Amino acid sequence: MTTIFGIPLQALLGQLLIGLINGSFYALLSLGLAIIFGLLRVINFAHGAQYMLGAFIAWLLLAHFGIGYWPALILAPLLVGLIGAIIECTMLRRLYSLDPLYGLLFTFGLALTIEGTFRYLYGASGQPYATPALLTGGANLGFMFLPIYRGWAIVFSLFICIGTWLLIEKTKLGSYLRAATENPVLVQSFGINVPLLLTLTYGLGATLAALAGVLAAPIYQVSPLMGSNIIIVVFAVVVVGGMGSIMGAIVTGYLLGVAEGLTKVFYPEASNIVIFVIMAIVLLLRPAGLFGRDA
Amino acid sequence: MHKKLIATLAMVLASSTAAMAGASDGKIKIGILNDQSGVYADFGGKSSYEAALMAVEDFGGKVLGVPVEVVTADHQNKPDIASNIARQWYDTEEVDSIMELTSSSVALAVQALSKEKKRITINTGAATTELTGKQCSPYGFHWAYDTHALAVGTGGALVKQGGDSWFFLTADYAFGYSLEENTGNYVKENGGTVVGAVRHPLATTDFSSFLLQAQSSGAKVIGLANAGLDTSNAIKQAAEFGIVQGGQRLAALLFTLAEVHGLGLEAAQGLTLTEGFYWNRNEESAKFGKRFMERTGKMPNMVHAGTYSAVTQYLKAIEKAGTDDADAVSKELHAMPVNDVFAQNGTVAPNGRMIHDMYLLEVKKPEESKEPWDYFKVLATIPGKEAFIDPAQSGCELVKS
């Protein structure tokens, strides 16, 4: 059997694929963060909580209303997006004129409040969420047994990432958004409702986080801690990709997922710090991040 | 000036160590220190605090005529934070004893500190046999279970069923090493082999990569030497990757009622596990379980019931000793048999290990469960002498003297 550094090639391929699956969650989450930071200049620490909310709403819909995975995949993100929009309108908006630190502290407090509430209500152990019937089972790829649901997670997140990138970079609405953050006064004077655009942006970021949450529910337990477990890694992804760079967030998400996967084969003890080591190296060599433009 | 200061200090020290009969400060204070927000928050958590309160209320709220108070704090699974809290409790808040102490690294740190400060610790949440082994303390007690009991119980059952080659997924800290070592030794002593192990960080959310390594190892049994949410996630993801269908068995070495509840019977059915307590075992335990349920909304596992037992026994020991002085109370704790809802005819060995029966349990199929929280079948009772290390072999220096 062919081996690379003592690891059979087949096992390596399996680990690469698993890295890509985890990477797709990193990509989806860092995408939302990058959009919010890039357009609003807000460091959204509540992103993990919004991811957790997405998963929890999907679980609540199933447990209390019998609404299954597919409707929840649309309903839960929309609901969280709406909550995000309300938060932006009523609270976050007041902080734009202040130092970005205030936005960070506000969203951090928000995250702690939301997570604390859910932990109080539902405990720290996760709630089980069954894989939808259509996507159960797995396929033998020869080098590994791939659960169909995980395959779906890669395809779906790739689709959403590309779709969001096109929306912001290639559509008229996207160009308004970008313009509104570049020079809000000028854009407003053209008769475009800038505050509404900003609300939509924050709502979109929250929606993306919740979408990742619903996607994660059948794989991980639906737990109040799921957001805080992943959020720090996602921040590292955004920093490595270049703060605010949307394409950077997506590509780095997948890349770091793979890097983490490979570490789990060669030196598992380091698997939860490898991303931060990479972050430190990137910051030393390219402070603006891999895809960032130097300010 | 200096001399005067030193003399005063000496007097204060002398008066505090010369324990007079009765409670020294007009109050008995017990601290419940554990993880209340992380991976072990349901394993012990706030419910252990409730169990301690229940024990104090059942005891009448007073001992030696002074009130008993229970305080609690979250150590976040960090030994440094735990040591700071313990130090503060002892130095400024006059806490007499610290209990529960989930997470082995924390338990070892706090037990060592308490030995130095001459205060009693009764550990119900942590698992490592080190607590009553090389790092034992004359003031340290280990109450509910330990990694040896888990190895003998769950490990033993699977070896008997033909699981003779093992691969471990191990939590990367004191507890995981202890559990892996105890179980590995047990497997080897019984003619089996350990083909490999992989260490994962505490609070891992994605186990797929580790599971894939376990899968390709070809071992018959994959031993999960972890606990709490880590174990639940590993089991759930193992199902996704078709590990059990592929003919390998999972051994959840530390798994309790709380985690089964979180995972659901659908995913947990058929697992074999070892606990020191099951609420639906007899009438008395069921009655205790229901009272606990009314307070906390959940049924107790061995950590909760063990904490109830530990607090009760501690208060009994103070009553018998007629003082809260740690040396006198420790002597009583070592001498008194333990008979309560948790342990029947339990004894405390010179190394601090409370020796009592453990139960080998199997998780029911969803259709077998007749009421909420009716999760286990009792497969066997493991006598205390088999479940726990012979104190003379434990490596604890207190045993020989």
Side-chain angles (χ1 to χ4, degrees):
Chain A
M1 200 190 289
T2 331
T3 58
I4 297 173
F5 301 122
I7 306 283
L9 183 63
Q10 292 196 331
L12 202 63
L13 283 173
Q15 299 293 353
L16 278 176
L17 192 58
I18 280 176
L20 270 183
I21 298 168
N22 289 340
S24 54
F25 285 101
Y26 294 157
L28 256 186
L29 281 167
S30 54
L31 172 66
L33 267 186
I35 289 173
I36 293 174
F37 181 78
L39 304 183
L40 268 56
R41 297 283 141 187
V42 167
I43 299 169
N44 185 31
F45 247 96
H47 215 65
Q50 283 153 351
Y51 162 78
M52 180 272 288
L53 265 184
F56 248 102
I57 289 176
W59 176 77
L60 288 170
L61 285 173
L62 185 68
H64 294 291
F65 304 102
I67 296 172
Y69 177 81
W70 299 106
L73 195 59
I74 298 168
L75 281 176
L78 282 182
L79 223 59
V80 176
L82 189 68
I83 297 170
I86 293 171
I87 291 170
E88 199 278 341
C89 269
T90 55
M91 294 179 266
L92 192 60
R93 170 171 299 179
R94 295 160 200 275
L95 304 174
Y96 290 156
S97 56
L98 302 171
D99 190 277
L101 194 61
Y102 287 87
L104 186 152
L105 286 176
F106 167 71
T107 52
F108 187 53
L110 197 66
L112 290 180
T113 314
I114 297 174
E115 281 177 4
T117 308
F118 275 80
R119 201 168 61 217
Y120 177 75
L121 292 175
Y122 300 102
S125 280
Q127 307 288 344
Y129 191 95
T131 309
L134 192 63
L135 299 174
T136 47
N140 196 338
L141 301 183
F143 59 90
M144 76 173 284
F145 181 91
L146 176 71
I148 290 175
Y149 188 83
R150 298 212 180 208
W152 154 254
I154 301 189
V155 174
F156 184 69
S157 79
L158 208 56
F159 173 74
I160 295 289
C161 285
I162 293 172
T164 312
W165 181 77
L166 287 175
L167 174 76
I168 290 180
E169 299 290 338
K170 303 289 169 200
T171 66
K172 195 150 193 180
L173 178 67
S175 68
Y176 283 167
L177 274 175
R178 282 175 289 131
T181 51
E182 204 73 24
N183 192 335
V185 180
L186 192 66
V187 176
Q188 185 109 41
S189 70
F190 283 124
I192 293 165
N193 188 343
V194 171
L196 180 69
L197 278 180
L198 298 183
T199 307
L200 281 178
T201 306
Y202 191 77
L204 175 67
T207 305
L208 286 170
L211 200 62
V214 184
L215 203 59
I219 297 186
Y220 311 122
Q221 304 244 30
V222 177
S223 134
L225 302 175
M226 63 194 288
S228 49
N229 285 342
I230 201 170
I231 190 69
I232 302 296
V233 172
V234 174
F235 268 106
V237 171
V238 175
V239 171
V240 172
M243 293 292 286
S245 161
I246 290 167
M247 193 41 112
I250 299 172
V251 175
T252 316
Y254 287 102
L255 280 180
L256 290 190
V258 171
E260 194 187 41
L262 291 179
T263 316
K264 282 179 179 167
V265 185
F266 293 109
Y267 192 62
E269 286 87 343
S271 59
N272 63 341
I273 55 157
V274 64
I275 285 181
F276 303 104
V277 173
I278 295 175
M279 179 179 88
I281 296 171
V282 168
L283 283 180
L284 278 176
L285 300 178
R286 262 189 81 95
L290 292 179
F291 295 81
R293 273 159 292 183
D294 293 301
Chain B
M1 181 65 203
H2 259 304
K3 264 185 191 161
K4 207 171 162 189
L5 195 71
I6 290 168
T8 323
L9 201 71
M11 248 166 64
V12 172
L13 281 177
S15 64
S16 63
T17 45
M20 282 154 283
S24 51
D25 57 341
K27 198 187 266 180
I28 299 294
K29 230 172 172 180
I30 299 169
I32 300 292
L33 184 57
N34 62 8
D35 174 15
Q36 299 178 356
S37 54
V39 280
Y40 303 142
D42 279 356
F43 175 74
K46 283 263 182 217
S47 305
S48 289
Y49 172 59
E50 281 293 330
L53 287 178
M54 231 172 119
V56 171
E57 282 165 29
D58 290 354
F59 201 82
K62 278 183 168 196
V63 64
L64 302 179
V66 299
V68 182
E69 195 186 321
V70 185
V71 291
T72 186
D74 181 0
H75 62 44
Q76 301 167 34
N77 292 321
K78 293 181 179 131
D80 52 333
I81 293 184
S83 298
N84 281 340
I85 295 172
R87 211 174 278 278
Q88 195 187 336
W89 275 358
Y90 289 150
D91 292 346
T92 66
E93 295 179 32
E94 305 198 330
V95 167
D96 296 285
S97 164
I98 298 182
M99 304 192 193
E100 222 270 22
L101 293 168
T102 294
S103 194
S104 294
S105 45
V106 164
L108 288 167
V110 174
Q111 181 169 296
L113 174 75
S114 307
K115 184 178 173 184
E116 190 185 300
K117 301 252 175 204
K118 297 201 171 158
R119 305 288 169 105
I120 285 176
T121 51
I122 308 184
N123 167 13
T124 53
T128 179
T129 45
E130 274 291 297
L131 286 162
T132 52
K134 282 200 188 74
Q135 302 189 45
C136 69
S137 152
Y139 307 103
F141 297 86
H142 201 178
W143 216 252
Y145 71 103
D146 64 21
T147 49
H148 186 268
L150 301 174
V152 171
T154 312
L158 288 165
V159 171
K160 271 181 210 138
Q161 289 164 19
D164 56 5
S165 59
W166 286 59
F167 185 95
F168 288 99
L169 295 195
T170 305
D172 193 15
Y173 74 105
F175 150 70
Y177 309 153
S178 179
L179 191 50
E180 182 192 320
E181 192 193 339
N182 285 162
T183 314
N185 286 344
Y186 188 86
V187 169
K188 283 181 225 156
E189 278 164 24
N190 287 279
T193 51
V194 175
V195 298
V198 57
R199 304 232 158 122
H200 70 78
L202 178 65
T204 294
T205 43
D206 185 64
F207 282 89
S208 45
S209 163
F210 305 124
L211 288 166
L212 222 58
Q213 295 177 46
Q215 197 170 28
S216 59
S217 75
K220 283 186 193 159
V221 179
I222 300 172
L224 304 174
N226 47 23
L229 273 186
D230 281 346
T231 314
S232 305
N233 277 331
I235 293 173
K236 196 169 180 211
Q237 291 165 19
E240 245 189 281
F241 282 88
I243 283 186
V244 179
Q245 291 97 305
Q248 286 173 305
R249 289 197 68 170
L250 288 177
L253 293 166
L254 176 46
F255 210 56
T256 74
L257 194 75
E259 288 80 44
V260 170
H261 185 70
L263 196 58
L265 286 185
E266 192 59 51
Q269 58 180 311
L271 281 174
T272 310
L273 57 97
T274 307
E275 272 213 73
F277 178 84
Y278 176 44
W279 71 273
N280 210 0
R281 197 175 60 84
N282 60 31
E283 224 170 276
E284 199 196 353
S285 59
K287 218 171 108 194
F288 173 77
K290 285 185 180 130
R291 280 175 57 217
F292 188 83
M293 177 95 182
E294 274 167 27
R295 293 180 76 120
T296 61
K298 48 192 174 190
M299 281 293 178
N301 64 7
M302 63 176 165
V303 179
H304 307 128
T307 303
Y308 178 90
S309 165
V311 172
T312 307
Q313 192 76 0
Y314 176 66
L315 296 177
K316 279 185 193 166
I318 291 179
E319 197 167 51
K320 197 140 179 256
T323 169
D324 65 352
D325 172 60
D327 285 297
V329 175
S330 166
K331 206 175 146 203
E332 291 302 337
L333 278 172
H334 278 106
M336 285 164 40
V338 187
N339 272 305
D340 53 27
V341 68
F342 177 75
Q344 290 77 46
N345 300 320
T347 55
V348 177
N351 60 350
R353 175 69 253 173
M354 201 269 271
I355 293 174
H356 58 94
D357 293 349
M358 297 286 293
Y359 304 101
L360 186 67
L361 307 161
E362 188 185 286
V363 181
K364 288 184 172 176
K365 295 194 180 80
E367 62 269 21
E368 290 170 334
S369 171
K370 289 192 203 73
E371 53 181 316
W373 298 89
D374 174 29
Y375 291 160
F376 297 149
K377 278 184 281 203
V378 180
L379 295 183
T381 301
I382 308 159
K385 280 209 157 49
E386 278 175 37
F388 297 102
I389 298 176
D390 174 7
Q393 309 290 317
S394 65
C396 170
E397 56 184 13
L398 297 167
V399 180
K400 288 154 211 155
S401 59

